[in-house]
Amino acid sequence: MNFDTSRLENFRYRPDVDGLRALAVIPVIFFHAALGFPGGFVGVDIFFVISGYLITTIIAKDIVRGDFRMKGFWERRIRRILPAAAFMTLCVLVGAAFILLPHQYEDLGKSAVSQTFMVSNFYFWQQDGYFAAPSDFELLLHTWSLAVEEQFYLLFPLLLVFLSKRGSTKVILGTVLLFALSLVWSIYGVFSHPAATFYLLPARTWELLLGSIIAIVPIRLPASRMILNLLSWTGLALIIFSFSQYSVSTPFPGLAALPPVLGAGLLILANRDSLTTPGKLLSLPPVVFIGKISYSLYLWHWPLLVFGKHLSVQETPVETKWILVVASFLMGYLSWRFVEGPFRSKTLLKTRTQAFKLFYVTTITVALAGTVVYKMEGIPGRFSQEAQAIAAVANEEMILDDTREIRKTGELPLLAPPHDEKRPLSVLIWGDSHAQMMLPVLQEICNDRKVDVHYSVRAAHPPILDTNRFPDRPDVAGFNDAVFGFVKKHDIKKIVLIARWSKYCVPDPGSGKVAITDRDGSDTHPTEVFESHLRKMVDTLQKLGIKTWIVRQIPYQKRSPVELIFHAHRLGRDLDTLSHTTEEAKAYHTTVNDILDRLPGKHVTILDPIPYFDLKNGRTRIHIEGIPIYFDEDHLTARGSKILRPLFDPLFDELEKP
């Protein structure tokens, strides 16, 4: 099987492909702005197919002519990608200096460095996940897809050159084999390693290679206009289906990526020789124009939307979103007209040597700027002392370490150092990081009452026996077994369970992280696992004569109170109007609270902290005298935990009874 050399040699500019770029980028923007297209994120996958097709066509054409050179290839990539991306990154670093909190600016410095060295997909892979709420505030999150393409551009040409020396048949077979392996990995990895599968090249290679296959495999299509139109309409329908029917809860990429990727491939293939009706629609001048500026448009839309989120109270107003979308088109055009275009057309930097000098200088400049921001810890001196004091709350750490060592030692610590006048109680505080954040007020009560209790805390480990969190945390059951062994060994008679219950009860569509599984990781729905195993655990404790208290969750804030108060302080906003209402806080926990209310009542007491956060205006408390009492969306500071003293004092009255 040989290349279709005549098609490669006669390759021409295709306006329909630029139109396909427009079809890809517009849903991405509207998805990110939350203005429609719940599956708009698949536009990135369409870009991958287009990139694979065009790049492979260019390389294969040069190989056939015998004049392919890596330097020439990379010169074109530098002119195409680098100037606009570097300009955007530097502008973001400057703009963020006036907006971001120090820890956020520090993180931006890290991501800027990773973007400069084409590894931002690895950086964000280690963060919360593309669909997680914290990622919504990462100004350079969108550069992960650029990194994937750049890594492909680095490796695939080398493979093509290597295989081409052994004949075009080997090139085609090698490309198809690599396509199949990557697709299999994507299908498997979307469930076993979802974050890595989303961000990293191995699980995305097949999407680019589908374009490569269309470019080099001599695929013969029927000459029938009706069949070509049918193929083209089918491709368009697959893409529109993905845009409209997918959502952040869709496991992706894997099999779910097939419809948009195949749809893009069909549109490219069916319009290869002459335009079908969808191809003509994609070739309309306004559509083609958006396709031409799509790269710069993609670069700019996300930072503008994220800046809007940072400066908004809770949700960005719809009117503001539309303004930011319009601004994205304006900035995309300006970037295309005055940055991207002049470098691509060689109006600027006419020689290859100059292009590579630009690469070195730009890389060093952006990397140095990001490193300075990172090493100077986000340059806190940008703000007043009052603003710095607010921002510093975000860096607060837990006062007591977790108790993971119990699996080695078999023992759990007391809440405060034992003294002669203290008397230990047969009590255990058991929970995740929400329990850990309440230890300061519990420790204070122990010291005042001259009593002490044992505690076991570990982040993201629900205090529910026989449960795990596959595949992320398969060690939960073993940890809880060790804690339960301590309970039986020391004849503990009273247990207080504290956790972010909704994290385990309801799957999080944003982060893609698993809620809860049974010990063996079966496919049972997390809500069912949560209720059945919590009920079973309560029954087990009851049979051992153990009385149990369960503390409901504190009010969850969708936005970090530190950031809300930081910006409100600078802009003169009323701090008591920033948080969620008490009713919203209750509604957020409805599912888990209903389950807790159905637990057997004789040996279980439910405690509710929400009333202690209720302000007179119906909103939840997030500050004391202007200082945040949360250090993120749902964890209290040590000072913040003290407002729960009225909740825990009556509890200790019960705990101290024989």
Side-chain angles (χ1 to χ4, degrees):
M1 185 183 297
N2 296 316
F3 293 158
D4 190 340
T5 54
S6 63
R7 194 179 301 280
L8 289 171
E9 290 172 353
N10 296 319
F11 179 73
R12 69 196 189 287
Y13 167 69
R14 291 183 54 177
D16 61 298
V17 173
D18 267 336
L20 186 57
R21 283 194 174 107
L23 181 63
V25 75
I26 291 175
V28 169
I29 294 171
F30 279 80
F31 166 72
H32 285 154
L35 292 173
F37 295 103
F41 55 88
V42 305
V44 171
D45 304 82
I46 297 171
F47 276 124
F48 286 159
V49 178
I50 295 171
S51 295
Y53 170 69
L54 293 177
I55 292 302
T56 306
T57 298
I58 293 169
I59 295 173
K61 181 172 67 172
D62 289 348
I63 288 175
V64 168
R65 291 176 176 175
D67 60 359
F68 175 76
R69 298 292 183 272
M70 281 299 297
K71 282 188 177 181
F73 171 77
W74 269 101
E75 179 194 354
R76 292 193 294 269
R77 292 300 90 205
I78 288 171
R79 291 182 182 276
R80 173 76 172 92
I81 295 172
L82 180 65
F87 177 66
M88 178 275 299
T89 303
L90 288 172
C91 288
V92 166
L93 283 168
V94 172
F98 298 94
I99 297 174
L100 296 193
L101 278 70
H103 75 280
Q104 295 170 331
Y105 200 40
E106 179 181 354
D107 289 342
L108 177 62
K110 296 177 190 176
S111 62
V113 174
S114 68
Q115 189 275 328
T116 302
F117 292 108
M118 303 184 295
V119 292
S120 62
N121 56 332
F122 285 90
Y123 175 79
F124 291 114
W125 166 41
Q126 299 297 326
Q127 307 304 310
D128 294 292
Y130 184 78
F131 299 120
S135 295
D136 287 347
F137 295 87
E138 292 279 4
L139 284 157
L140 296 178
L141 176 67
H142 63 319
T143 63
W144 75 269
S145 63
L146 305 184
V148 168
E149 288 197 22
E150 289 159 354
Q151 291 156 19
F152 180 81
Y153 298 154
L154 179 66
L155 299 174
F156 188 61
L158 299 175
L159 177 64
L160 280 183
V161 171
F162 173 77
L163 293 176
S164 66
K165 294 178 180 179
R166 288 149 182 81
S168 56
T169 300
K170 293 290 176 54
V171 174
I172 293 172
L173 291 177
T175 302
V176 172
L177 177 61
L178 191 58
F179 168 88
L181 291 173
S182 174
L183 176 58
V184 170
W185 171 248
S186 183
I187 294 170
Y188 165 75
V190 75
F191 296 104
S192 61
H193 302 86
T197 302
F198 188 92
Y199 280 113
L200 303 187
L201 179 62
R204 295 289 190 164
T205 299
W206 69 275
E207 301 178 25
L208 292 132
L209 289 182
L210 180 66
S212 302
I213 290 170
I214 295 171
I216 61 176
V217 175
I219 302 172
R220 298 285 181 250
L221 294 179
S224 168
R225 297 292 302 167
M226 184 179 71
I227 293 178
L228 292 175
N229 265 291
L230 178 62
L231 291 174
S232 200
W233 282 116
T234 300
L236 188 59
L238 288 171
I239 290 173
I240 293 174
F241 168 81
S242 305
F243 287 155
S244 60
Q245 299 303 311
Y246 288 4
S247 69
V248 296
S249 61
T250 303
F252 202 85
L255 286 173
L258 278 170
V261 169
L262 291 177
L266 286 174
L267 282 169
I268 293 172
L269 192 59
N271 292 278
R272 185 172 57 182
D273 297 316
S274 61
L275 294 178
T276 63
T277 301
K280 291 176 181 177
L281 293 173
L282 292 174
S283 299
L284 292 172
V287 182
V288 172
F289 175 73
I290 294 174
K292 286 181 179 293
I293 70 170
S294 60
Y295 174 58
S296 286
L297 179 55
Y298 179 80
L299 286 176
W300 277 99
H301 85 282
W302 178 255
L304 290 175
L305 291 171
V306 173
F307 277 132
K309 291 177 182 177
H310 277 289
L311 293 175
S312 298
V313 176
Q314 301 302 341
E315 299 293 333
T316 308
V318 173
E319 299 81 4
T320 303
K321 292 178 182 178
W322 280 108
I323 292 172
L324 293 172
V325 168
V326 172
S328 299
F329 277 87
L330 176 61
M331 289 301 301
Y333 169 75
L334 293 175
S335 173
W336 171 77
R337 176 70 176 80
F338 297 107
V339 181
E340 184 183 346
F343 283 99
R344 290 183 66 184
S345 63
K346 297 188 179 181
T347 303
L348 298 175
L349 305 184
K350 298 181 184 298
T351 68
R352 179 177 300 171
T353 300
Q354 290 174 328
F356 277 96
K357 285 182 179 178
L358 171 71
F359 170 75
Y360 300 133
V361 171
T362 303
T363 300
I364 292 171
T365 300
V366 178
L368 182 61
T371 301
V372 168
V373 170
Y374 162 49
K375 290 296 185 180
M376 293 184 68
E377 298 180 340
I379 317 178
R382 294 172 288 138
F383 304 111
S384 67
Q385 292 296 323
E386 294 83 356
Q388 288 184 52
I390 294 170
V393 174
N395 298 319
E396 181 169 322
E397 297 180 356
M398 304 290 188
I399 65 167
L400 294 172
D401 293 335
D402 66 32
T403 56
R404 68 185 64 193
E405 293 300 315
I406 187 176
R407 297 193 68 176
K408 297 178 180 178
T409 65
E411 296 297 325
L412 290 172
L414 290 168
L415 191 51
H419 298 289
D420 292 341
E421 68 272 18
K422 283 192 176 181
R423 49 191 176 87
L425 304 177
S426 181
V427 174
L428 172 66
I429 308 295
W430 187 359
D432 60 8
S433 59
H434 272 224
Q436 192 173 5
M437 73 184 181
M438 292 185 188
L439 293 182
V441 66
L442 297 171
Q443 189 177 58
E444 179 183 88
I445 294 172
C446 284
N447 286 326
D448 290 347
R449 290 174 175 254
K450 294 184 171 53
V451 297
D452 220 336
V453 301
H454 289 280
Y455 69 94
S456 174
V457 292
R458 190 171 181 186
H461 281 57
I464 305 175
L465 294 173
D466 295 321
T467 60
N468 270 312
R469 299 183 67 204
F470 284 106
D472 294 342
R473 295 184 180 274
D475 60 335
V476 173
F479 174 79
N480 285 334
D481 287 344
V483 177
F484 191 52
F486 176 89
V487 169
K488 291 187 290 185
K489 175 182 176 182
H490 292 272
D491 197 27
I492 299 294
K493 290 303 180 183
K494 298 174 182 180
I495 292 179
V496 181
L497 301 177
I498 307 172
R500 183 182 170 183
W501 302 110
S502 59
K503 181 176 183 177
Y504 315 115
C505 176
V506 181
D508 183 356
S511 68
K513 293 183 178 179
V514 68
I516 197 173
T517 65
D518 58 27
R519 182 182 286 267
D520 299 320
S522 71
D523 292 332
T524 307
H525 193 276
T527 304
E528 182 180 337
V529 173
F530 177 87
E531 180 168 12
S532 63
H533 282 71
L534 182 58
R535 181 178 291 272
K536 180 181 176 182
M537 177 173 168
V538 168
D539 290 341
T540 299
L541 296 178
Q542 180 178 336
K543 291 175 182 177
L544 293 174
I546 299 173
K547 185 172 175 57
T548 306
W549 287 260
I550 300 179
V551 180
R552 299 189 197 272
Q553 289 176 233
I554 65 170
Y556 175 75
Q557 308 292 335
K558 289 184 180 179
R559 287 284 305 278
S560 168
V562 177
E563 186 175 17
L564 286 173
I565 294 169
F566 178 83
H567 291 308
H569 170 80
R570 298 175 62 212
L571 300 174
R573 292 171 177 161
D574 183 354
L575 302 187
D576 288 336
T577 63
L578 304 177
S579 62
H580 291 302
T581 66
T582 303
E583 292 306 313
E584 287 173 329
K586 293 177 179 178
Y588 184 81
H589 303 312
T590 297
T591 301
V592 69
N593 284 344
D594 288 346
I595 291 174
L596 295 180
D597 290 340
R598 290 196 294 268
L599 292 174
K602 185 177 180 181
H603 287 271
V604 178
T605 302
I606 307 297
L607 302 177
D608 189 1
I610 284 185
Y612 303 96
F613 290 83
D614 192 15
L615 296 174
K616 292 181 180 179
N617 65 357
R619 293 187 176 272
T620 51
R621 182 185 302 278
I622 59 172
H623 74 96
I624 296 177
E625 297 178 348
I627 300 299
I629 59 173
Y630 290 75
F631 62 77
D632 61 14
E633 291 81 2
D634 63 307
H635 289 91
L636 293 174
T637 63
R639 186 185 188 194
S641 74
K642 304 298 177 63
I643 70 173
L644 292 177
R645 175 96 189 221
L647 173 72
F648 288 120
D649 268 330
L651 169 63
F652 269 77
D653 291 339
E654 292 292 319
L655 296 177
E656 292 181 65
K657 293 179 181 178

